[in-house]
Every structure is written in C-alpha cells, then in structure tokens.
Amino acid sequence: MKIGIVGLPNVGKSTLFNAMTRAGAQSANYPFCTIEPNIGIVKIADSRVDYLADHYKPKSVIHATIEFVDIAGLVKGASKGEGLGNRFLAKIREVDAIVHVVRAFSGQDIIHVEGSVDPKRDIETINIELELADLDAKPGAPKLMDKPVIYCINNSHANADAGPPSYLLGKTIVSLDAQLEMELANIEDEAEQNEFMEAYNLKQSGLEVLAQTAYKTVGLISFFTAGAPEVRAWTIKDGTKAPGAAGKIHTDFEKGFIRAEVCSFDDFVAFGGIVKAREAGKVRSEGKDYIVKDGDIIHFKFNV
C-alpha cells in the first residue's frame, strides 16, 4: 500500500516526510525541491506489539509498516502541464490514498507560492487540478478524486489543537506541526524524546497519529504472531480470511492451511498470556472461512 503526500510547494510536505522517515529528502525554501518522488517505509506505532514484546522478550520485534511517497509540489495549472504537471499527477494515480498537506502556519520567511496563507483556497486549487486531470484521463485510468484523502493541517504547535475548519467537516483530518515533529524525530535518546513531548504536552507524536490514520484509511488491519523468537505485526486488508492471512507469512502456509489457533489481544491481556487464555477457553480453532480480526494473535497449522 502506498500513501502519496501531496500539496502546494512550501506547505511542509518534505519536512513532514523527513520527519516520518528520517530519510533526508531535500527540503528547501523554494518550489520543486522534490523532483523525483521520495519513498519511505514508516513504522506503525502499536502499543499491542510493545506489550507482546514485553511479555515474550523475543529476539526480534517487527512492527507493521506503510509506504509513504513524497510527491513534488503541485501548482495551479498542473493538469495542463504547469510546474511539474503530468509527472506529478501520474505519480498520484499510483498511490492507494492521499495525504493532502495544507499550510495553516504563518511566517514571512517561508514563501507561499500564492503569496498568502489561505488553507481553503489551497485545498480548492489542488482539488480543481485533480478534477481537471480526471476529465482528461484515459478511459479506465484510476480517478484521482476517488482516492481516499487525509487532510494533514500543518500548523504551529500553539494552534495545532484548533478544531477542524467548517469546510473540512466530515473529512479525515490530522493536525500537527511538521517542524516540531521533525525536531522530535531527530532526537535519538528515548528519555530525551519523552522530555521533549512532555515539554510540548504531546501524548503521542502527530506522525504516529498520521501513520495510524493512513493505515486505517486504506482498510488495513494487523494480526500478530508472537513467541520467544519473534513478535511481529502482519498487515492484511480488513476482511481477509485465515488462509490469506497465513499466506502473508509464507505461501506454503496458505497452500497447506489446516486451521488457525486464534486468541484476541484483549483476551491475551485479560488472562496474562496464551496459556491461561487457552485454559479459559479463549484460544479458538478456526477454519478456512474465518475472517481475521484486528489484533488477533494467531498460530497457523499447515501441512505441505
């Protein structure tokens, strides 16, 4: 699954991307500093994985991930070739959902391509270009306006808690301060990270919220495999049946699927582990038609 980060030039897209991936995508105070799309794999923060890791003390812990693509800034007229034009729009067609970064912070030191900060106008500018591009698209091409959208409001921390603007009511919104998030991402020490978050009264980083929101927006859920060797979150589409989930681990698991031993994460916590949960009858044997639930802890039985 790919999530495209889009927006006008200089709204904070690359700053946001850099914070998410710490990949060092070029970020500069001029339009089109991102020419080729930058791709980063971002970990999905999940306290359930952390809990299982604390329980099993495994050799390896692997979180679910999602792929973000930082796409060059769009300008008015892109559908007709202005700026990077169709190269930009072609890249959006390849993603499964869009994170539309909207600038709400002021600041004369950061040039706005339209000369002023106006989030509503900026949103309309990009939406118009997407609509125009859809009108010109070849038959059968994915419609840009049909893709799920998360509006990421890039605001100063002091104003980040402001409620959603009326023109975005009913939309999926995440508010954050991209510059602050990058500062946080660049802190290596966990204790220092916690101090930083306390200083800014952050219960969770905005980037974690954005990644989790994107994960859900494209209909993804996680199931877990857990034991002393490894605790791991596996990504599947919501509605996937047990054999399909098994196939995520290895194709042989799906081909030779016999059954799945399933314990919900909540039952695992309530009974203090898989042994007690099994004694309480909370570990179920499920067959091929079982639809995997978010948070299921699964041991697959298979025969090849």
Side-chain angles (χ1 to χ4, degrees):
M1 288 289 176
K2 291 184 179 181
I3 310 295
I5 304 176
V6 306
L8 291 169
N10 294 348
V11 297
K13 291 187 306 86
S14 293
T15 300
L16 179 68
F17 178 83
N18 290 350
M20 297 191 84
T21 64
R22 300 182 66 186
Q26 183 186 12
S27 178
N29 183 21
Y30 55 88
F32 312 128
C33 63
T34 305
I35 303 300
E36 294 300 329
N38 294 280
I39 298 175
I41 306 299
V42 181
K43 181 181 80 173
I44 304 297
D46 193 330
S47 60
R48 300 171 300 182
V49 175
D50 301 332
Y51 182 95
L52 292 170
D54 286 341
H55 180 88
Y56 283 106
K57 304 293 190 293
K59 294 178 182 177
S60 173
V61 179
I62 302 175
H63 284 73
T65 60
I66 196 163
E67 188 172 304
F68 281 85
V69 184
D70 179 28
I71 301 172
L74 178 66
V75 294
K76 189 181 296 183
S79 60
K80 301 302 180 186
E82 291 295 325
L84 296 178
N86 291 329
R87 287 177 62 191
F88 170 91
L89 295 167
K91 292 299 180 183
I92 303 180
R93 293 194 192 281
E94 298 171 4
V95 303
D96 299 287
I98 295 170
V99 170
H100 183 165
V101 182
V102 182
R103 176 177 173 175
F105 67 90
S106 57
Q108 299 300 317
D109 54 325
I110 305 295
I111 301 166
H112 192 291
V113 70
E114 294 286 353
S116 64
V117 176
D118 186 337
K120 186 173 185 290
R121 176 202 60 207
D122 293 352
I123 290 171
E124 289 173 349
T125 295
I126 286 194
N127 284 343
I128 288 170
E129 294 304 322
L130 299 184
E131 289 173 355
L132 290 173
D134 280 343
L135 291 175
D136 292 337
K138 296 178 181 178
K143 294 291 186 182
L144 300 174
M145 292 299 292
D146 288 344
K147 294 183 182 294
V149 178
I150 301 164
Y151 290 95
C152 180
I153 310 300
N154 185 12
N155 209 344
S156 64
H157 177 69
N159 298 318
D161 290 333
S166 59
Y167 52 86
L168 287 180
L169 287 177
K171 306 294 186 183
T172 303
I173 303 170
V174 174
S175 294
L176 50 73
D177 180 334
Q179 187 61 44
L180 188 73
E181 295 292 336
M182 185 146 90
E183 291 176 26
L184 175 60
N186 284 328
I187 300 173
E188 297 280 354
D189 184 74
E190 186 175 346
E192 290 183 18
Q193 284 184 345
N194 292 335
E195 288 178 10
F196 186 93
M197 291 179 70
E198 286 178 12
Y200 285 95
N201 196 29
L202 295 173
K203 294 180 181 179
Q204 185 180 19
S205 84
L207 299 183
E208 290 180 353
V209 174
L210 180 57
Q212 290 165 349
T213 302
Y215 198 70
K216 293 176 182 177
T217 296
V218 292
L220 300 177
I221 63 172
S222 296
F223 73 90
F224 309 116
T225 52
E230 180 183 84
V231 166
R232 181 164 183 164
W234 299 87
T235 300
I236 56 173
K237 288 287 288 183
D238 195 5
T240 300
K241 292 183 178 180
K248 280 288 182 178
I249 300 174
H250 197 285
T251 54
D252 286 348
F253 282 31
E254 183 171 10
K255 292 176 184 176
F257 178 88
I258 299 173
R259 67 181 185 274
E261 293 186 349
V262 182
C263 178
S264 73
F265 177 78
D266 289 344
D267 284 338
F268 185 96
V269 173
F271 291 94
I274 203 73
V275 174
K276 294 292 186 182
R278 189 185 303 277
E279 291 173 357
K282 296 298 183 180
V283 178
R284 312 180 309 277
S285 181
E286 301 286 1
K288 292 182 177 180
D289 291 330
Y290 175 70
I291 296 175
V292 175
K293 308 292 192 301
D294 185 50
D296 278 350
I297 301 166
I298 307 179
H299 177 68
F300 291 104
K301 298 288 188 180
F302 69 101
N303 183 28
V304 177

